[in-house]
Amino acid sequence: MASGPAPVKPAGAAPRHPARAAVRILAAQGWPARIAAFAVAAAILGPLAAVIRHAGGLSGLGPGDIEALWFTLWQAAVSAVLSCLLAVPVARALARRRFPGRGLLISLMGAPFILPTVVAAMGLVAVFGRRGMVNAGLEALGLPGITIYGAQGVILAHVFLNLPLAVRMVLHGWQAVPSERLRLAAALGFGRAEVARHIERPMLRAVLPGAFLAIFLVCLTSFAIALTLGGGPRATTVELAIYQAFRFDADAGRAAALALVQIGVSVVALLASLALTAPPAFGAGLDRADAPPVRGARVKDALVLGAATLFLLLPLATILLRGLPALFDLPPSILRAAGTSIAIALGSTVLTLALALPLALAAPRARWAEVAGTLPMTASSLVLGTGLFLILRPLVNPVTLALPVTLLANALMSLPFALRLLMPEARALRADYDRLAASLGLRGLARLRLLDLPRLARPLGFSAGLAAAFSMGDLGVITLFSDGQRQTLPLALYQLMGAYRMDLAAAAACLLMALTFALFWAFDRIGQNADPR
């Protein structure tokens, strides 16, 4: 029996094999991700190669450098341990109590995470410094005062900055425990000891190692805190030693050797954090949030939350009270520095998203995209700046490129955070919409505009807010490249503190805080408003 003529496929009709079409679309869309991955790899591996080439081994390191390495390791470990230990009672109180303003309190407690570190250091000096309220109270009681400068100040500042991060990580662990487990424990008559043994401790054993290693890695590469509160032979970190070798000793070889040490330590800590972090094995629940109320310990929980809130918010309130009256006395140079910081933050945010978005879209089916986005975690901004300085010095005066290099370094340092925020939503997007998009012939810029960007709007906005906030508060690369004429607002604030012009420094800190939180809020709000859901 003869068959009829084959039907003519109308123009623009959907392809017959959506799965094959999806593969072709992914192959076509893979080029932006490959370009982004190549750009990130070149921007990270190039400076690292320059550091390795100029280091000439580690033979140039002296006893002071070994002491700086030891201080870097133990202060990071102590800071991480204290942050995690203090986070447990705070997260427990937040998990088992419901009260008006709880959500606002959780949001306010997260403020130090995006706070510029130089502002945090200034706030802690206002509270714990020689003329701070703590020493004033001790003097009134006839007790000896305390000093915030040195190892104790560095650790205190790191706990202040990282306690909110630890609280959120532990709180997420508590919220991941199915309410059915808690109801079963209540039905069996479990007391606090039994609940702690069978529910809380297994969760903490799964969550705390990851929290510890994340904070440890952050404290390893902290520069502004050591610069403002550390110093001296017994309170010098590797980052600070790199800065001193460059700015004061003009010893590029020693700075490169120290940068190589910092790279090695960061890589080991990063690999450990990836290997040791494990999810809790509680199994799935019914997603019911109505866990049974916890009896007793109300006063204890209230005291814990009150103390944590006071510790985290009092330094910020102190800066505001001191800086707001002098806000209109700021010289034009500070306002110019603020404009420079805003321009760098906006440019850094755009570059971060331009790199993170194609990598996140490719990551569900291409492991290399995730690896490329994680590369910046192997080096701090100061190490990256060191490598860029060594590359640029034979070609051009690095000082003339201070601002572009700062913008690039800030974007690269924000990339891993943005990628981690975008990847879960990108995986869900691929799983839910790839076949539909292929059947409709939706590809390229049309897919990006109509599907990808609207569905990723919320994490994109939050990622942009974090990138802008991190860039506004950075005091790393600019310290290596600046000649005093090219200033960002954090650098200008640090110089005011060094000149003991504390009222103007407090006013500049208020301005920096306001701009940082405003940029974060604006980008986050744009993402929320653009979300079609």
Side-chain angles (χ1 to χ4, degrees), residues 200-297:
E200 293 183 350
R201 289 176 190 168
M203 180 275 296
L204 292 175
R205 281 197 295 269
V207 173
L208 287 181
F212 170 84
L213 288 167
I215 296 172
F216 180 78
L217 186 60
V218 170
C219 295
L220 276 181
T221 57
S222 174
F223 170 68
I225 293 300
L227 182 65
T228 53
L229 299 178
R234 295 187 177 181
T236 296
T237 62
V238 174
E239 294 270 299
L240 188 55
I242 295 171
Y243 169 73
Q244 292 170 344
F246 248 119
R247 297 292 290 183
F248 300 109
D249 301 335
D251 190 344
R254 177 168 162 260
L258 287 165
L260 186 61
V261 170
Q262 180 72 298
I263 293 168
V265 173
S266 298
V267 169
V268 171
L270 176 61
L271 293 177
S273 67
L274 295 176
L276 299 181
T277 304
F282 285 108
L286 299 177
D287 293 331
R288 294 169 60 184
D290 54 340
V294 178
R295 299 178 181 178

Side-chain angles (χ1 to χ4, degrees), residues 78-88 158-160 162-163 166 215:
V78 171
S79 300
V81 167
L82 290 177
S83 298
C84 292
L85 290 179
L86 294 174
V88 171
H158 283 160
V159 172
F160 173 78
N162 294 296
L163 177 60
I215 296 172

Side-chain angles (χ1 to χ4, degrees), residues 47 51 223-224 227 238-252 254-256 258-259 262 379-393 396-406 409-410 474-488 490-491 494-495:
V51 165
F223 170 68
L227 182 65
V238 174
E239 294 270 299
L240 188 55
I242 295 171
Y243 169 73
Q244 292 170 344
F246 248 119
R247 297 292 290 183
F248 300 109
D249 301 335
D251 190 344
R254 177 168 162 260
L258 287 165
Q262 180 72 298
S380 67
S381 62
L382 201 68
V383 171
L384 187 63
T386 301
L388 291 172
F389 189 96
L390 294 172
I391 292 174
L392 295 173
R393 187 175 57 175
V396 66
N397 183 4
V399 172
T400 61
L401 298 177
L403 300 184
V405 170
T406 301
N410 289 343
D474 179 68
L475 184 63
V477 175
I478 192 66
T479 59
L480 292 179
F481 285 78
S482 177
D483 58 353
Q485 301 299 320
R486 299 168 178 83
Q487 287 185 326
T488 60
L491 181 58
Y494 171 71
Q495 292 175 347

